[in-house]
């Protein structure tokens, strides 16, 4: 177990402190640029994609299966329907699935429950974030409001991060999810630069309890990304690797929805197989008020937004 104190840092801590400070400064600048960039993209969404005034938000419940002998189906939470969609998709070969995420910006209240759930699920350290929520303030006092934009990895069909990897550590899975092989990643960070959505971060080996007498037991818990049990100890992977959202592949393969979807209190995030015409997401991506970020780049993102 690694132990440090504020008065007597270990040689490793002294050696990595300036590097971590540099990475933190770089990360803060990149986050600011990301916020400006994605919000400009949102503001510049094609007028044709703007919602008609009467476009209703997606309801938190959908009609359920008709009961035996009953005239009206009981409403069911959208999570129930998405789980049924997921089970149906998992019965198909991976190459026939088309995982997509849909985020209804009209229902997002900026609570950041998705961000926190992601951190807890994947045991993310400081400086590593898979699902930030970008915020923007609109209007002039007293007529002021805020807009929120959750931004996971776009899981692009044409991902710029893949061809730039010199060791083929990042790749596209048969089901379309862009993954990282932590055992191959050398931490060059070419993929961080190539991603136009700034959806990747670098694991610099920081802990929330750095500078305290003892590492929190919580930070020694294993994560199960990509179905592999890993603990962030002794600078082993994923320390020193690029990291990103992967739609919680380890949960999907266990028949569970991504953590950010299950914990969204406003039912603003939807997930499923767009190749299934009966799935909820296939209905949503066909709406007239749907848009994707930076479509002009030709990346073909698999994350859609409802405006």
């Amino acid at each position: 177990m690694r132990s440090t104190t504020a008065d007597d840092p270990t040689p490793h801590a002294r050696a990595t402190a300036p590097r971590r400070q540099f990475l933190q400064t770089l990360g803060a600048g990149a986050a600011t640029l990301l916020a400006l960039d994605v919000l400009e993209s949102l503001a510049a969404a094609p007028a044709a994609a703007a919602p008609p005034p009467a476009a209703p938000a997606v309801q938190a419940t959908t009609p359920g299966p008709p009961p035996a002998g009953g005239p009206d189906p009981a409403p069911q939470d959208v999570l129930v329907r998405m789980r049924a969609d997921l089970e149906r998709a998992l019965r198909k070969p991976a190459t026939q699935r088309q995982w997509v995420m849909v985020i209804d910006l009209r229902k997002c209240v900026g609570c950041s429950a998705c961000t926190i759930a992601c951190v807890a699920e994947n045991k993310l350290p400081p400086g590593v974030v898979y699902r930030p929520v970008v915020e923007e303030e609109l209007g002039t006092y007293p007529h002021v409001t805020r807009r929120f934009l959750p931004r996971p990895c776009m899981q692009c069909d044409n991902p710029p991060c893949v061809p730039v990897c010199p060791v083929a550590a990042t790749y596209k899975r048969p089901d379309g999810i862009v993954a990282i092989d932590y055992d191959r990643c050398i931490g060059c960070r070419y993929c961080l630069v190539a991603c136009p959505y700034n959806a990747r971060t670098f694991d610099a080996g920081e802990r929330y309890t750095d500078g305290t007498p003892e590492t929190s037991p919580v930070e020694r818990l294993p994560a199960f990304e990509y179905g592999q049990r890993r603990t962030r100890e002794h600078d082993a992977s994923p320390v020193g690797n690029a990291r990103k959202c992967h739609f919680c592949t380890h949960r999907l393969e266990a028949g569970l929805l991504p953590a950010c979807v299950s914990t969204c209190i406003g039912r603003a995030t939807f997930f499923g197989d767009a190749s299934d015409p009966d799935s909820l997401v296939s209905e949503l991506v066909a709406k007239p008020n749907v848009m994707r970020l930076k479509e002009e780049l030709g990346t073909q993102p698999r994350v859609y937004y409802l405006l």
Side-chain angles (χ1 to χ4, degrees):
M1 176 179 68
R2 190 177 65 185
S3 174
T4 61
T5 66
D7 296 329
D8 184 23
T10 65
H12 173 77
R14 288 195 298 271
T16 58
R19 179 165 169 258
R20 292 180 182 177
Q21 291 171 358
F22 169 76
L23 291 170
Q24 288 172 341
T25 303
L26 185 64
T32 302
L33 291 175
L34 164 67
L36 294 173
D37 208 18
V38 297
L39 290 172
E40 286 176 359
S41 176
L42 184 61
V58 181
Q59 298 300 309
T61 59
T62 61
D72 298 322
Q76 62 181 194
D77 193 294
V78 291
L79 289 178
V80 177
R81 178 174 178 185
M82 286 190 286
R83 278 197 287 268
D85 293 347
L86 179 62
E87 292 174 3
R88 203 162 53 248
L90 291 175
R91 290 196 288 269
K92 300 193 302 184
T95 53
Q96 295 181 18
R97 302 170 199 151
Q98 187 179 1
W99 298 128
V100 303
M101 184 170 285
V102 183
I103 301 174
D104 193 337
L105 298 182
R106 298 164 299 179
K107 300 181 71 176
C108 179
V109 297
C111 68
S112 295
C114 55
T115 304
I116 296 169
C118 179
V119 170
E121 176 68 30
N122 296 296
K123 310 296 185 294
L124 301 182
V128 176
V129 57
Y130 290 175
R131 187 177 165 109
V133 178
V134 182
E135 300 186 22
E136 180 185 24
E137 184 172 292
L138 304 172
T140 304
Y141 179 83
H143 305 294
V144 179
T145 187
R146 296 183 72 80
R147 180 163 60 188
F148 308 100
L149 185 110
R151 201 275 299 129
C153 172
M154 299 290 127
Q155 314 293 349
C156 304
D157 277 340
N158 184 25
C161 55
V162 171
V164 300
C165 181
V167 294
T170 187
Y171 60 97
K172 199 162 178 62
R173 297 178 8 144
D175 58 6
I177 293 175
V178 179
I180 299 175
D181 185 338
Y182 288 146
D183 293 324
R184 296 178 66 92
C185 179
I186 57 176
C188 68
R189 285 165 273 184
Y190 285 4
C191 56
L192 273 70
V193 178
C195 177
Y197 304 102
N198 205 13
R200 292 178 172 237
T201 48
F202 180 71
D203 190 336
E206 293 182 280
R207 296 181 186 275
Y208 288 101
T209 50
D210 280 348
T212 63
E214 186 174 348
T215 300
S216 167
V218 174
E219 297 193 83
R220 296 199 298 270
L221 293 175
F224 296 91
E225 295 178 90
Y226 306 112
Q228 301 169 339
R229 186 182 190 278
R230 293 181 184 272
T231 54
R232 297 179 66 261
E233 291 187 318
H234 310 299
D235 288 341
S237 291
V239 173
N241 296 149
R243 302 186 66 177
K244 61 178 281 296
C245 159
H246 38 70
F247 280 172
C248 284
T249 55
H250 56 289
R251 289 176 59 92
L252 296 181
E253 289 161 5
L256 300 172
L257 294 167
C260 58
V261 177
S262 296
T263 55
C264 180
I265 63 170
R267 299 292 187 267
T269 300
F270 309 94
F271 182 84
D273 177 17
S275 68
D276 178 358
D278 295 326
S279 69
L280 176 60
V281 293
S282 68
E283 294 178 16
L284 298 179
V285 298
K287 298 285 186 183
N289 55 318
V290 72
M291 60 86 70
R292 295 183 291 182
L293 295 178
K294 300 185 178 182
E295 286 194 86
E296 69 277 9
L297 299 181
T299 53
Q300 296 296 315
R302 288 195 178 196
V303 175
Y304 295 78
Y305 293 92
L306 294 174
L307 304 177

